[in-house]
Structure formats: C-alpha cells, structure tokens
Amino acid sequence: MGTDEMLRLVEMRYKGLEKIRATFHKKDIDMEMCGGYELFTKDEDYLTGDLEEQVEYLNDLLKK
C-alpha cells in the first residue's frame, strides 16, 4: 500500500474513532480502546515477515 497510503488510512481510522467518541458515550456503546489488529490469510503469510521487520519504522512514523 505504501507509506503515504498507510498514513492516510491510519488517519481516517483515528478520525472515525474520534467521531464515534464525540457522538456516543463509551459506556452507552460498550466501547473499549484496546488497540487494533491486522489479519492476514494463509496466502498473505509472505507479508507478515516484512511487516514484523518494519514495525519500529512504522511506529516512528505514526508518533507524528
């Protein structure tokens, strides 16, 4: 997907969560902020190795 697209996707997800939090009280919708996950199919196993190697790089980008 590339770095710019990944950052755009993370920003959209973050803004979506902020909109939900502004609209609803977290107790009313039983919302817990507990992180996120990405799922890979068996056919995409080759992607996980690259991702694991770049987690620190990606986290540094996301700190901004």
Side-chain angles (χ1 to χ4, degrees), residues 41-55:
T41 66
K42 289 181 181 182
D43 295 336
E44 297 173 318
D45 277 348
Y46 67 94
L47 296 173
T48 59
D50 290 342
L51 184 60
E52 288 174 7
E53 293 173 8
Q54 296 185 30
V55 166

Side-chain angles (χ1 to χ4, degrees), residues 3 6 53-63:
T3 301
M6 182 272 304
E53 293 173 8
Q54 296 185 30
V55 166
E56 187 173 337
Y57 168 74
L58 296 171
N59 282 336
D60 285 342
L61 287 175
L62 293 172
K63 286 178 185 175

